[in-house]
Amino acid sequence: MNLKGRDFLKLLDFSPEEILYLVDLAADLKDKKKKGIPVDVLRGKNVALIFEKTSTRTRCSFEVAAHDLGMGTTYLDPSSSQIGRKESIEDTARVLAGMFDGIEYRGYGQEIVEELAKYSKVPVWNGLTNEFHPTQMLADLLTIREHFGYLKGIHFTYMGDARYNMGNSLMVTCAKMGMHFTACTSSKYFPDPALVAQCREIAASTGGSITLTEDVKEGTKGAEVIYTDVWVSMGEPDEVWVERIRDLSPYQVNMAVMNNAAENVVFMHCLPAYHDLHTKIGQEISERFGITEMEVTHEVFESEKSLVFQEAENRMHTIKAVMYATLV
Ligand code: CP
Ligand code: NVA
């Protein structure tokens, strides 16, 4: 498998074999890290990390992984670069590609990261757009495989806003890996029909399936993974909280949902999560709407079925695999 020089923009661009190769590589790099075996084969190289939206996991993962691989990093924060305001994406791509060996980009429309990749002669990695979050997908696959031992045939249910980056990406990922994906949410939040059709076509060739349902009992029955994400994503206006809480509260991941799923069900979440009042926004929402938990209850989040911190750690190992595979 040779992915050197490739961009990593969305999993739709990769074959199931290539995705599995990246998961295997991440598992190997994780094992080496745990054993204290250094893999700093990219010494002397440098990567640019552009974040037009905030981040904890993705930024830290890129920085730690790059340093582990021997590389230098330059972080460009949401307000201090010229990108998009004073300088076009096309010009930025050509400037950065002259100085760096790879470019990570987190921002708004998918077309921006695609444009950056088009004009960059070095690999571009998507650190999250409105439409897709591909590095998160590798971490999720690694976590599921660590837990269950395999991926193919897993029954996976996503609850909440299924038409945004996480819902879209998870549907694509499940289709590619021969998993059974269910979006369990209000039909208003079902993924884009064109993407659903594309995923159904992929799933037909991998043995996976795509189901969309508004029925919580039906949608979570037999699920081995229950996954959710915040109801309001970065960059969305504050006003949408009212309708999201109204529309998505019936799709909260709580113990009733977990108990209706398969006996061996696990809970996953890309994080950050609103499961208590220990955040500023959580407190504001509580004052405005009188709720103390949102997409997942504290009980489920903290339960032994929750894999969220293993999943978060795996962001680093999988992002390392992406940089290694595309640069070495
Ligand atoms: N899951 C995830 O992407 O987290 P950050 O927003 O903290 O990077
Ligand atoms: N849907 C979320 C994912 C965060 C990792 C967002 O875009 O804010």
Side-chain angles (χ1 to χ4, degrees):
M1 193 67 68
N2 184 3
L3 301 182
K4 189 168 179 178
R6 286 273 293 274
D7 299 310
F8 189 74
L9 306 178
K10 55 188 183 303
L11 286 202
L12 281 171
D13 302 336
F14 288 80
S15 69
E17 293 73 26
E18 288 170 337
I19 296 167
L20 207 53
Y21 165 75
L22 288 168
V23 174
D24 287 341
L25 178 60
D28 182 53
L29 290 167
K30 181 174 181 175
D31 188 51
K32 289 201 167 75
K33 170 107 179 170
K34 300 280 173 199
K35 289 182 176 143
I37 303 167
V39 185
D40 50 358
V41 292
L42 289 167
R43 272 187 311 275
K45 299 206 182 276
N46 292 286
V47 294
L49 309 176
I50 307 169
F51 283 82
E52 303 222 78
K53 290 175 177 169
T54 53
S55 168
T56 296
R57 277 146 292 273
T58 311
R59 177 187 175 180
C60 294
S61 295
F62 270 101
E63 292 208 14
V64 172
H67 296 157
D68 280 358
L69 290 168
M71 296 194 285
T73 56
T74 298
Y75 172 71
L76 294 152
D77 77 33
S79 57
S80 70
S81 75
Q82 317 280 26
I83 302 161
R85 286 168 286 274
K86 277 177 70 180
E87 193 158 33
S88 67
I89 296 297
E90 184 179 336
D91 292 355
T92 304
R94 290 177 293 177
V95 169
L96 295 181
M99 300 181 196
F100 293 95
D101 300 284
I103 304 167
E104 180 276 354
Y105 179 85
R106 164 173 286 198
Y108 295 86
Q110 179 72 16
E111 70 284 356
I112 302 173
V113 78
E114 301 272 353
E115 169 111 340
L116 195 61
K118 184 174 161 197
Y119 291 101
S120 161
K121 63 181 194 303
V122 301
V124 170
W125 310 299
N126 177 2
L128 177 146
T129 58
N130 296 346
E131 291 82 2
F132 294 110
H133 195 3
T135 61
Q136 179 74 49
M137 295 306 105
L138 297 180
D140 295 347
L141 288 175
L142 177 62
T143 308
I144 295 169
R145 202 181 60 179
E146 283 174 343
H147 186 83
F148 290 98
Y150 59 93
L151 295 170
K152 206 172 160 59
I154 290 283
H155 287 82
F156 185 106
T157 295
Y158 179 85
M159 302 180 82
D161 185 359
R163 54 179 192 170
Y164 216 68
N165 42 27
M166 288 306 302
N168 290 343
S169 303
L170 288 165
M171 180 171 68
V172 169
T173 302
C174 288
K176 287 269 179 186
M177 306 321 286
M179 295 158 70
H180 301 291
F181 176 85
T182 298
C184 179
T185 187
S186 156
S187 59
K188 200 167 143 186
Y189 299 88
F190 283 171
D192 174 48
L195 187 62
V196 172
Q198 193 179 359
C199 287
R200 285 203 164 121
E201 209 175 302
I202 296 168
S205 69
T206 61
S209 63
I210 309 294
T211 305
L212 310 178
T213 180
E214 291 196 301
D215 186 324
V216 174
K217 271 234 149 17
E218 211 34 58
T220 58
K221 206 169 110 202
E224 294 163 291
V225 180
I226 303 239
Y227 201 116
T228 191
D229 180 21
V230 289
W231 289 340
V232 176
S233 287
M234 288 183 277
E236 293 197 286
D238 228 24
E239 295 83 79
V240 299
W241 275 111
V242 182
E243 62 162 348
R244 294 295 161 77
I245 289 171
R246 185 191 61 221
D247 296 343
L248 298 176
S249 287
Y251 300 96
Q252 180 192 60
V253 180
N254 49 40
M255 271 304 168
V257 161
M258 296 298 279
N259 290 337
N260 185 54
E263 207 165 321
N264 60 349
V265 65
V266 293
F267 170 70
M268 295 178 69
H269 190 309
C270 54
L271 305 183
Y274 295 117
H275 59 95
D276 59 21
L277 296 181
H278 299 169
T279 63
K280 199 166 164 275
I281 291 177
Q283 275 176 18
E284 278 167 20
I285 296 297
S286 169
E287 279 157 27
R288 277 170 70 190
F289 303 100
I291 55 171
T292 57
E293 306 159 312
M294 285 192 256
E295 72 274 10
V296 56
T297 61
H298 191 62
E299 189 184 12
V300 170
F301 187 89
E302 293 293 347
S303 74
E304 57 184 16
K305 293 184 176 298
S306 174
L307 300 185
V308 295
F309 296 109
Q310 179 184 342
E311 184 184 1
E313 180 194 322
N314 284 339
R315 296 296 311 287
M316 197 284 283
H317 305 297
T318 44
I319 280 173
K320 190 186 281 179
V322 169
M323 290 195 286
Y324 185 102
T326 55
L327 294 180
V328 175

